[in-house]
Amino acid sequence: QSVLTQPPSASGAPGQRVTISCSGGTSNIGRNTVNWYQQVPGAAPKLFIYSNNQRLLGVPDRFSGSKSGTSASLTITGLQSEDEADYYCGVWDDTLNGPLFGGGTKVTVL
Amino acid sequence: QVQLVQSGAEVRKPGASVKISCKTSGYTFTGYSIHWVRQAPGQGLEWMGGINTQRGGTKVAQRFRGRVTLTRDTSITTAYLELKGLTSVDTAVYYCAREVDVVDFWGQGTQLTVSS
């Protein structure tokens, strides 16, 4: 199915670990690599993890991505206040014949 | 450096049309497709369509077919989104973004407000 499902919110105290899931289907995550975008209020999304687990230059190594079957996840190990943002998974969908994005997860640092 | 600079905020009445531009620089324009993604207030990212900047071929998401026209002008490395038959539901921020295998760089966004 051409839908990517993310939890609407996730939170943790500074230093804790937070994992965001992204559930898709055989036409998207099951066939193609997953990317993650970070969006702060009032700004455009920014790509920061691509090809399932590759961090862009400058992205801290506390961010990691993984994929298994038709699901993917983003993990923040050692949460910091500057990590507060909305995070979107994105993947090419072969049925849509275009990029598909999850609904976004708002990460809050308690 | 790679830049995608979009045109400014627009206000339209219901039933009207709007054309948003996306001026690119810092890379080979025809080496990447340009996609258009919108974000309604407090909502997620919704793909509207994309254009192959080299050949001009377009793909438009089914829900926008008949209302969206995508074009580009390679001489000025600019892509355009035209949206017709506007309703209040079209009030959103519209982004252009480039892609080859992955959607990487995004424009700053254009706020469209549809109100009578």
Side-chain angles (χ1 to χ4, degrees):
Chain A
Q1 83 231 42
S2 295
V3 174
L4 294 183
T5 302
Q6 295 181 237
S9 63
S11 61
Q16 283 192 327
R17 175 176 163 148
V18 167
T19 298
I20 300 166
S21 61
C22 175
S23 177
T26 54
S27 65
N28 42 69
I29 295 179
R31 292 185 185 176
N32 301 303
T33 58
V34 178
N35 311 300
W36 290 91
Y37 302 86
Q38 182 188 61
Q39 185 180 37
V40 296
K46 289 177 68 173
L47 176 69
F48 77 108
I49 286 183
Y50 65 99
S51 294
N52 302 328
N53 55 18
Q54 302 299 302
R55 287 186 299 274
L56 258 68
L57 196 64
V59 173
D61 59 8
R62 64 178 180 274
F63 290 92
S64 62
S66 66
K67 175 186 133 173
S68 178
T70 58
S71 293
S73 62
L74 173 70
T75 298
I76 310 172
T77 304
L79 195 61
Q80 298 189 11
S81 58
E82 59 261 37
D83 300 335
E84 281 204 340
D86 293 326
Y87 293 85
Y88 293 88
C89 55
V91 63
W92 190 268
D93 186 277
D94 292 345
T95 299
L96 186 64
N97 203 13
L100 183 65
F101 300 95
T105 299
K106 183 176 184 63
V107 169
T108 303
V109 181
L110 301 173
Chain B
Q1 73 280 23
V2 174
Q3 287 192 309
L4 288 79
V5 179
Q6 300 182 222
S7 48
E10 302 274 11
V11 179
R12 292 287 187 274
K13 293 190 182 306
S17 299
V18 70
K19 191 170 185 177
I20 299 170
S21 66
C22 174
K23 167 67 178 169
T24 73
S25 61
Y27 71 97
T28 302
F29 179 68
T30 52
Y32 294 76
S33 295
I34 293 289
H35 294 271
W36 292 89
V37 178
R38 77 179 187 181
Q39 186 171 36
Q43 301 300 308
L45 303 170
E46 180 179 27
W47 178 71
M48 301 178 69
I51 184 166
N52 180 307
T53 53
Q54 184 170 49
R55 294 188 297 268
T58 61
K59 291 174 288 189
V60 176
Q62 181 142 16
R63 64 172 294 187
F64 296 107
R65 285 176 197 164
R67 289 209 302 140
V68 161
T69 303
L70 304 180
T71 55
R72 93 289 189 224
D73 185 335
T74 57
S75 68
I76 55 171
T77 65
T78 300
Y80 302 91
L81 164 71
E82 184 174 19
L83 183 59
K84 305 172 188 173
L86 295 170
T87 72
S88 59
V89 173
D90 295 314
T91 293
V93 176
Y94 290 75
Y95 294 102
C96 62
R98 75 169 196 176
E99 174 264 328
V100 62
D101 296 331
V102 59
V103 175
D104 56 4
F105 282 92
W106 298 62
Q108 85 276 18
T110 296
Q111 174 69 53
L112 170 65
T113 302
V114 182
S115 173
S116 55

